[in-house]
Amino acid sequence: MANNNSFSMSTMFNTIQEILNEEPLTVPSPPSRGGYSLFHIRKAEMDIQRIFNFMTGSEDLKDDISVLDTGTLMWMASLMTSDCDYFMVITTNKNGSKTLQKLMGMSDDMDVFFFEAIMRLFIHVMTDKYASYVTIQGMRVFQQDKRELMYDQILRYACFLARDQYGCIALNEIITDLDDPYYRDQLLDIVANNALLLSNDVYGNFVVQHVLKLRDSRCTRNIADKLCGYCVELSFKKYGSYIVERLLEAGDVPMATVVLDLLACKTEMLIRLARSEYGNFVVCKALELTNEILTADLFYGLVNRLMPYRHLLHRSPRSKIATILDSMSVPN
């Protein structure tokens, strides 16, 4: 497809350099409006368009950033962050986001512009597919004082972000990267304390799963405590069953919490769960893990509840539960 942009991609880099190097014009200024001449207004509009073209253009141009001088970089940072809408247009563009991430961390003075723009638009940036990576990069390269202010925002909006399509992905990235013990514990506590809400959310469940994968024993126990009494209900759901399986794999207290929930439900409910599309994996894993870890009371408690209905479980071709029961010799 032909490129209809009159500002050729091949000349963007040279144009940016030339803009800053232009000699002051000696021609008389046209009549002014609001203190600024129409000429300067139109020139500013052109500069903004050229910066946008450069930031969102071909990936081939991004290596040119390394040879831009400090003055040009500062000018670009200032212009890009001067207007909230303009900043969002750049950050929500795939190439714009990638280019901006390369500019971040190059200079503390430039980072001030980026930091202030991000903080003004924090929720909007964090819930966009591409813009969220700009915030994540800032948390990696900004000075500690700026990162701490961003962490405070994360703690404030953690539950909201966890339930957003792109916010949950960004939040998981931040949880993985977060190396400050205080803020890490605070964030994990927020996830644990809201585990039931998040586990039942189409996006929030991914955050709970992610936190459980970290195998932080304190946080895992807290999540198990918050989900106690709800493990059967969650096991009927696709993503909820993943969370319950993670708790089983955590062993010790979390595993006992799940199995005791299974044993506490009515027999009819347990059999229905064992035959359900997702619940059968939970019951099967509970049998396998309690047998492997030699928790006989939990293991045989499940076996004794399931054994009388083994014939029904054989009718579920995807389930291995009947096979496990067939292989067992249950003491009287």
Side-chain angles (χ1 to χ4, degrees), residues 311-322:
H311 63 288
L312 294 176
L313 297 172
H314 273 295
R315 298 176 188 174
S316 301
R318 290 171 297 181
S319 175
K320 299 190 296 182
I321 297 173

Side-chain angles (χ1 to χ4, degrees), residues 9 13 36 62 84 127 155 196 242 256 260 262 264 270 297 319:
M9 294 292 294
F13 173 69
Y36 293 95
K62 303 310 179 279
C84 290
T127 53
L155 296 180
L196 182 58
Y242 293 162
L260 290 174
L262 297 179
L270 180 61
D297 54 339
S319 175

Side-chain angles (χ1 to χ4, degrees), residues 1 27 50-51 59 70 78 82 89 96 103 113 127 132 146 153 169 172 175 186 255 269-270 288 290 296 305 311 329:
M1 178 181 291
V27 297
R50 289 169 177 174
I51 291 292
E59 284 290 308
T70 303
S78 174
S82 61
V89 169
L103 290 173
F113 289 113
T127 53
S132 57
K146 295 182 181 63
Q153 290 291 84
I169 298 172
N172 282 347
I175 290 172
Q186 290 287 309
M255 181 180 70
M269 179 70 75
L270 180 61
E288 291 173 341
T290 53
R305 291 283 300 279
H311 63 288
S329 175

Side-chain angles (χ1 to χ4, degrees), residues 244-245 247-263 281-304 306 324-325 328:
V244 177
E245 287 187 56
L247 289 175
L248 285 168
E249 293 167 352
D252 195 22
V253 175
M255 181 180 70
T257 298
V258 174
V259 178
L260 290 174
D261 266 14
L262 297 179
L263 293 174
F281 293 107
V282 172
V283 176
C284 183
K285 179 154 288 192
L287 286 168
E288 291 173 341
L289 293 178
T290 53
N291 188 30
E292 289 175 5
I293 302 174
L294 302 177
T295 49
D297 54 339
L298 297 177
F299 175 71
Y300 285 115
L302 279 174
V303 170
N304 286 328
L306 295 168
I324 295 173
L325 296 176
M328 296 307 306

Side-chain angles (χ1 to χ4, degrees), residues 60-80:
D60 296 338
L61 290 174
K62 303 310 179 279
D63 291 336
D64 291 334
I65 291 174
S66 60
V67 297
L68 290 173
D69 62 73
T70 303
T72 302
L73 291 172
M74 284 291 293
W75 172 73
M76 290 174 62
S78 174
L79 197 58
M80 280 188 288

